[in-house]
Amino acid sequence: MSTAVLYFNGSILTMDPHDTVAEAVLTIGEKIAAVGALSDLRAQMPARTMQVDLAGKTMIPAFIDPHGHFPDPGFIRLFRVDLSSPPRGDCADLATALKRLGEKAKTMPTGEWVMGVLIDNTAIAEGRMPTREELDGVSTDHPIWVLHASGHNGVANSAALARQGLTPDTPDPVGGRFGREPRTGALTGLIEGISAMGELGDTNFLIDHDRFWQGFAATRDEYLAHGVTYGQNAWASAETLAQFASLPVDQDPGFDLMILPVGELEPALSQGPNAMRDFDNPHFTLGPRKLFADGAFQLQTAYLRDDYANPISPDAPRGVPYVSATELNAQVKKLHEMGFQIHCHCNGDAGADLFLDAVEAAQKATPRDDHRHTIIHGQVLHDDQFERMARLGVTVSFFSAHIHFWGDRHYDTFLGPERAERISAARSAERHGIRYTLHNDASVTPTRPIHLAHCAVNRVTSSGMCLDGGQKISVLSALRAQTIDAAWQVFLEDTRGSIEAGKIADFAILNQLLMDQSQDILGIQVLKTIRRGKTVFEKSDERHVLQ
């Protein structure tokens, strides 16, 4: 028999179309049965209903992560070497990074990989990535691979290059590059771009079945502790899809997930007798197909209309596209005609132009209503692009955490003051009637919905500088962007994202909710997370109850 629960005596912010604040919520089993006046719900609740007094606290729909790489955070915690610099971590210089890699190597059998992650050339003291020679100095008995914080480049030692079959004669792929010594042509160990990294850039690299599910459990517990019950793996290779598909159909993993296959897997992925059209397990859903237009700001491979404020490459002062316009047009046309939603990584404004051109061409050839194709990150978008997006029906998910973690370097180095002031221009999107979401892109930055809301509301960098630019949004808008708007962006608005009858009973209970524009938003804490009607996290004892 399904358990009935009545929640009352708190501020219940429903995120429904009218932003109703309700008196009470009744759940039966996994679903919300009724929302409304306490007297009405008490009159209709079943016998032996559990009654939960919120004691003045705030209940909201559980948070939805609209773009991330679940379960990569767990892989980092359990299996990789964290080399993140302030403000995220404490690896301040290359000596520290190399020491940590060496310590890890000593614990590994000879020949086993050592993988470092989250290193940031723009934050570490030396202002650069390690070299092949430096990694060789750590170990020649282990292949060592150090992946940049953005996930868009890395450095390999000699053993890793050999293991991957890379030599000075290996040609550069489109959208990627192997670093070479200018005089000799020898490989430096630097590998730039998704196409050049290959499996080295895959979040599933070096992860077997057991490690995958261990990482899944660690990531699940982290997300639940921050009130997140629904997430994304937004770049799923065939190998990653197979890992998720290995979960038995009747097993609840304790978390619900949307999985975005690599766009290039189509049409083979979903057509033919052996195609994967969806997962057997109901907690995993195939979502939009994922494409890339450009790279990362830290590496100056995000593709801009105008030069970087301080270009590092005279040959590419505006960054580089990851694909040609012809190839992106073909990919978008294929996926659009197959009826898929598309999420496309576009950090720079020129990268966004490439994607919008492709969507416009696809829509002209094969008109579709309500496709919700989405620009992911959208760091540098202009009013002319928002106008075009509104006309084409394109939405956006902003990487607003960049304001805190890299805002100072946007201002000083990447974009310069004028463009930096309006990165992640959520208020402009609102003015143009574009529904948007906010994301952390975990593991690039950790999934922290409250801090992410603070980034979009207050727009304060790690040094304390405010990048206002007329782009501050309200607390309510920041919360909607991670609840009902996040559900809407991937066509889930009928089942989750708000507290309405018939939807899944996923909630976060907060100690307070300040709806004014205030730094105190950082004082908000998730006290309890409820997933499918059951408590799965309580801050009082910080235990995770996975029933």
Side-chain angles (χ1 to χ4, degrees):
M1 184 175 179
S2 297
T3 301
V5 184
L6 179 71
Y7 300 91
F8 66 96
N9 190 30
S11 177
I12 300 172
L13 184 56
T14 64
M15 304 293 178
D16 71 6
H18 307 290
D19 292 319
T20 304
V21 178
E23 279 190 5
V25 176
L26 175 66
T27 68
I28 300 178
E30 296 188 347
K31 296 292 186 69
I32 300 170
V35 182
L38 177 58
S39 59
D40 292 342
L41 270 57
R42 278 196 165 135
Q44 69 184 78
M45 68 185 188
R48 293 186 296 277
T49 293
M50 179 187 302
Q51 298 194 42
V52 176
D53 185 343
L54 295 173
K57 298 178 179 65
T58 297
M59 173 186 276
I60 65 170
F63 291 110
I64 296 172
D65 169 26
H67 177 80
H69 299 279
F70 191 109
D72 203 39
F75 298 162
I76 291 171
R77 183 178 304 114
L78 298 177
F79 310 120
R80 295 171 179 167
V81 183
D82 186 342
L83 304 177
S84 56
S85 299
R88 174 169 180 167
D90 60 359
C91 185
D93 51 42
L94 286 175
T96 302
L98 297 171
K99 179 182 178 183
R100 290 181 182 178
L101 292 168
E103 290 170 349
K104 181 69 171 179
K106 291 176 183 177
T107 70
M108 306 288 285
T110 298
E112 290 290 314
W113 284 84
V114 174
M115 185 172 176
V117 293
L118 298 175
I119 195 165
D120 182 359
N121 61 299
T122 69
I124 209 156
E126 292 83 355
R128 62 173 175 84
M129 297 287 282
T131 65
R132 174 176 58 83
E133 289 83 359
E134 287 170 330
L135 296 182
D136 286 347
V138 171
S139 176
T140 56
D141 294 329
H142 299 272
I144 300 176
W145 170 239
V146 177
L147 187 64
H148 190 270
S150 67
H152 284 258
N153 88 355
V155 180
N157 72 347
S158 297
L161 292 173
R163 187 75 66 91
Q164 297 303 105
L166 299 173
T167 71
D169 296 326
T170 304
D172 292 343
V174 175
R177 184 176 74 88
F178 299 106
R180 305 173 196 274
E181 294 288 352
R183 289 188 298 104
T184 66
L187 295 178
T188 65
L190 182 67
I191 305 176
E192 297 184 291
I194 300 295
S195 60
M197 289 189 296
E199 69 170 355
L200 295 171
D202 184 6
T203 59
N204 206 35
F205 181 58
L206 305 180
I207 300 296
D208 60 16
H209 177 84
D210 289 342
R211 284 186 167 194
F212 183 88
W213 292 107
Q214 290 169 27
F216 186 103
T219 308
R220 172 197 63 205
D221 291 352
E222 176 188 345
Y223 278 46
L224 294 175
H226 292 279
V228 183
T229 59
Y230 196 91
Q232 279 193 12
N233 181 299
W235 177 250
S237 65
E239 293 76 15
T240 302
L241 291 167
Q243 296 280 27
F244 283 116
S246 71
L247 185 71
V249 64
D250 59 348
Q251 184 173 331
D252 183 353
F255 194 82
D256 296 326
L257 200 66
M258 179 163 280
I259 299 164
L260 282 61
V262 175
E264 287 80 1
L265 294 177
E266 296 294 352
L269 178 66
S270 60
Q271 293 183 356
N274 298 316
M276 174 185 281
R277 293 179 178 85
D278 214 330
F279 291 96
D280 293 330
N281 190 290
H283 298 286
F284 298 153
T285 304
L286 285 180
R289 273 44 177 178
K290 179 70 178 298
L291 297 175
F292 278 82
D294 64 354
F297 281 102
Q298 301 95 319
L299 308 172
Q300 295 196 11
T301 54
Y303 189 36
L304 299 177
R305 288 178 175 181
D306 301 302
D307 289 359
Y308 280 86
N310 293 288
I312 58 176
S313 172
D315 297 327
R318 296 187 295 125
V320 293
Y322 265 18
V323 295
S324 68
T326 300
E327 174 62 21
L328 187 60
N329 283 3
Q331 287 287 341
V332 169
K333 182 176 186 292
K334 174 189 70 177
L335 297 171
H336 181 84
E337 289 180 348
M338 293 180 71
F340 293 120
Q341 184 186 12
I342 302 167
H343 279 196
C344 188
H345 170 114
C346 308
N347 257 320
D349 44 10
D353 285 336
L354 288 173
F355 181 58
L356 293 174
D357 288 345
V359 171
E360 185 149 26
Q363 272 287 76
K364 184 175 181 181
T366 309
R368 276 176 55 192
D369 293 332
D370 198 24
H371 51 73
R372 301 186 202 178
H373 296 326
T374 303
I375 288 174
I376 298 298
H377 305 326
Q379 302 273 36
V380 189
L381 291 174
H382 307 281
D383 285 337
D384 67 286
Q385 291 175 308
F386 287 125
E387 291 170 5
R388 193 178 183 195
M389 290 164 63
R391 175 169 54 83
L392 292 173
V394 173
T395 181
V396 58
S397 187
F398 291 114
F399 193 174
S400 297
H402 249 258
I403 296 166
H404 171 77
F405 288 98
W406 289 281
D408 294 305
R409 290 190 287 286
H410 279 291
Y411 192 91
D412 295 331
T413 304
F414 305 153
L415 297 173
E418 184 176 349
R419 286 179 293 181
E421 284 281 353
R422 54 169 289 132
I423 60 170
S424 297
R427 185 68 185 95
S428 288
E430 286 184 356
R431 285 192 286 265
H432 288 278
I434 295 170
R435 207 164 176 178
Y436 60 86
T437 63
L438 309 175
H439 66 262
N440 277 110
D441 199 15
S443 60
V444 179
T445 68
T447 294
R448 301 290 186 269
I450 298 300
H451 182 264
L452 182 59
H454 160 70
C455 291
V457 170
N458 294 303
R459 297 181 62 86
V460 176
T461 71
S462 60
S463 74
M465 177 172 58
C466 180
L467 298 180
D468 188 348
Q471 297 303 325
K472 290 182 176 181
I473 60 173
S474 69
V475 175
L476 179 60
S477 292
L479 295 178
R480 287 186 65 92
Q482 298 181 80
T483 53
I484 186 57
D485 293 338
W488 170 88
Q489 195 166 69
V490 287
F491 294 93
L492 294 177
E493 68 271 25
D494 291 337
T495 59
R496 58 176 72 240
S498 61
I499 302 176
E500 297 180 85
K503 291 195 174 184
I504 294 170
D506 282 10
F507 313 121
I509 297 176
L510 313 176
N511 63 328
Q512 60 175 309
L513 185 57
L514 304 175
M515 298 307 293
D516 61 344
Q517 217 90 347
S518 172
Q519 289 281 355
D520 288 341
I521 191 173
L522 291 175
I524 298 173
Q525 297 180 25
V526 175
L527 302 181
K528 182 182 289 189
T529 305
I530 295 151
R531 172 183 175 267
R532 295 182 174 268
K534 295 181 179 180
T535 297
V536 290
F537 169 79
E538 284 190 85
K539 190 171 180 62
S540 57
D541 58 8
E542 306 224 350
R543 286 183 300 109
H544 296 78
V545 184
L546 301 169
Q547 303 175 7

